[in-house]
Amino acid sequence: MARVFNFSAGPAMLPAEVLEQAREEMLDWNGSGMCVAEMSHRGKEFMSIAAQAEADLRELMAIPANYKVLFLQGGASSQFAMVPMNLLRGGSKADYLLTGSWGKKAIKEAKRYCEVNTAFDASAESGKFTFAPSQEQLNLSADAAFVHYTPNETIEGVEFDYVPEVGDKPLVADFSSTILSRPVDVSKYGVIYAGAQKNIGPAGLTICIVRDDLIGQPVDGTPTMFDYKTHADADSMYNTPPTYAWYLAGLVFQWLKDKGGIPAMAEINQRKAVKLYAAIDGSDFYANPVAVANRSWMNVPFTLADSELDATFLAEAKEAGLTTLKGHRSVGGMRASIYNAMPEEGVDALVAFMAEFEKKHG
Ligand code: PMP
């Protein structure tokens, strides 16, 4: 079967070139006579793969030397707990900006460890998440140990168009669905974390970029595996890391470098998003409720004028090789996730399909 354009929010498409290279190296990585999945994580072959992946990520994101890059497990969901456990550092309060479903989960988990001040709740008026607040709207507290936000909310497709200014507090960001999609000034953050399965590689790997000075003062009772220091001191090899996912992420980093790095990807990503939103806005048949300035480049939710047609849309799209377009149940309608590995032709094909579908059923 030909490869489809898979619009899944995650696990999501990987670049075909990366999968082909992995296939070539499957039985014998670089003359080792082994698949990477069969290697000891402490052997020199895997250590070189791991170090190269970290070096490439550092180069791609221009990560300053005073940040550790951790290759962890447990998903972004584990970071919802690890962040307060490691960053409270004697404090008892944290500020959270709430712009979507994932932020809500992060807050729920943080409340197990501290008082949470919701510095802005974007759903307060309408019950829905359709925009991000401006800097002036943030109600930050003087005694918060850190400030957490979700630059891109994957389910609602709401993306911040600026980096919140939080003074000398560490800014913590769940970058799961927007990391590597556009340039980021890492130095503005205390912690950046992301599950890999959207824009980095396969599921099972979680990347954490943590400023040095925030490591080493976990709350009492923090499990060893939840202490950033455990992983920072051991180069993410305290226990067996997700070796094959780490290797595939490394291949993705090399692919990104070959493509011209993050600025080049950002140009393509913006073009893809602009095309898709233009198709939605240019028709009365499709709609997206998000404030224009906050529309996500990565996750594009949209509804059809008649939700009775949703099932037909999904079935006909699948026939056309466009899969996994069903929106999250909490939002309804469709969602097209168009991460780095979604080729521009995939978006062109979706836009053409949408016009055809409207002609036929609108
Ligand atoms: N945060 C965001 C923004 C996400 O999109 C997701 C996954 N969809 C998560 C957290 C949860 O990630 P994981 O499944 O890796 O725990």
Side-chain angles (χ1 to χ4, degrees):
M1 186 188 180
R3 273 176 67 76
V4 295
F5 292 119
N6 172 9
F7 292 89
S8 170
M13 281 186 88
L14 289 164
E17 296 96 316
V18 163
L19 296 175
E20 278 160 3
Q21 186 175 344
R23 177 176 60 193
E24 268 166 37
E25 296 174 345
M26 183 63 74
L27 296 180
D28 176 14
W29 182 82
N30 204 22
S32 65
M34 278 184 272
C35 174
V36 175
E38 300 170 308
M39 290 176 182
S40 163
H41 56 296
R42 304 199 190 280
K44 73 174 181 343
E45 288 97 347
F46 184 76
M47 295 287 263
S48 75
I49 290 170
Q52 188 64 50
E54 178 177 338
D56 287 339
L57 181 62
R58 282 184 176 277
E59 185 183 330
L60 282 165
M61 291 184 72
I63 300 172
N66 63 323
Y67 285 74
K68 290 278 190 296
V69 178
L70 309 179
F71 291 77
L72 307 179
Q73 303 182 58
S77 301
S78 292
Q79 293 309 309
F80 295 166
M82 274 177 96
V83 163
M85 283 176 158
N86 287 274
L87 293 207
L88 280 170
R89 297 178 302 146
S92 59
K93 189 176 184 182
D95 286 344
Y96 277 68
L97 316 191
L98 176 54
T99 54
S101 302
W102 290 106
K104 204 174 222 178
K105 287 206 165 151
I107 288 175
K108 186 165 177 230
E109 189 69 8
K111 281 183 174 167
R112 294 162 58 94
Y113 305 99
C114 63
E115 183 190 335
V116 169
N117 167 48
T118 303
F120 191 86
D121 176 356
S123 69
E125 278 183 21
S126 67
K128 293 195 156 77
F129 293 108
T130 58
F131 71 101
S134 67
Q135 176 73 40
E136 294 69 41
Q137 287 176 300
L138 305 182
N139 172 32
L140 300 172
S141 39
D143 53 347
F146 62 89
V147 182
H148 179 283
Y149 82 119
T150 314
N152 185 69
E153 281 284 358
T154 320
I155 291 175
E156 290 83 2
V158 174
E159 186 153 19
F160 273 78
D161 58 340
Y162 70 100
V163 181
E165 183 54 59
V166 296
D168 58 0
K169 305 276 164 58
L171 180 61
V172 179
D174 175 358
F175 263 90
S176 292
S177 48
T178 185
I179 192 165
L180 302 174
S181 70
R182 53 169 97 189
V184 169
D185 180 353
V186 174
S187 72
K188 292 193 167 164
Y189 294 88
V191 176
I192 284 174
Y193 65 88
Q197 65 272 20
K198 302 165 193 303
N199 228 0
I200 296 174
L205 170 70
T206 310
I207 302 259
C208 258
I209 303 167
V210 189
R211 209 174 66 210
D212 276 348
D213 60 294
L214 301 173
I215 297 172
Q217 301 169 63
V219 299
D220 284 349
T222 296
T224 305
M225 283 292 288
F226 273 53
D227 182 349
Y228 286 139
K229 191 169 190 322
T230 301
H231 303 288
D233 286 353
D235 291 329
S236 305
M237 306 252 184
Y238 170 76
N239 72 326
T240 316
T243 48
Y244 200 76
W246 193 332
Y247 154 73
L248 279 185
L251 295 187
V252 171
F253 299 153
Q254 279 170 23
W255 176 81
L256 285 170
K257 284 174 64 176
D258 289 346
K259 293 271 166 200
I262 308 303
M265 285 318 296
E267 245 179 70
I268 300 169
N269 286 330
Q270 185 176 28
R271 224 166 41 226
K272 284 170 7 191
V274 164
K275 277 184 191 175
L276 189 44
Y277 287 112
I280 294 166
D281 290 343
S283 133
D284 292 333
F285 188 74
Y286 300 107
N288 167 287
V290 178
V292 171
N294 301 129
R295 283 174 162 184
S296 170
W297 288 7
M298 295 284 104
N299 311 98
V300 183
F302 60 93
T303 50
L304 312 190
D306 178 3
S307 60
E308 297 269 300
L309 285 170
D310 284 2
T312 313
F313 183 95
L314 291 165
E316 292 189 8
K318 193 165 178 206
E319 278 294 300
L322 310 169
T323 70
T324 336
L325 281 158
K326 194 171 170 30
H328 193 271
R329 59 193 176 280
S330 64
V331 175
M334 310 298 148
R335 173 177 47 173
S337 294
I338 49 175
Y339 302 115
N340 288 340
M342 170 61 67
E344 195 161 354
E345 304 85 74
V347 173
D348 292 340
L350 175 59
V351 166
F353 170 80
M354 287 166 69
E356 270 304 303
F357 188 85
E358 180 180 356
K359 227 188 270 170
K360 194 158 139 200
H361 299 281

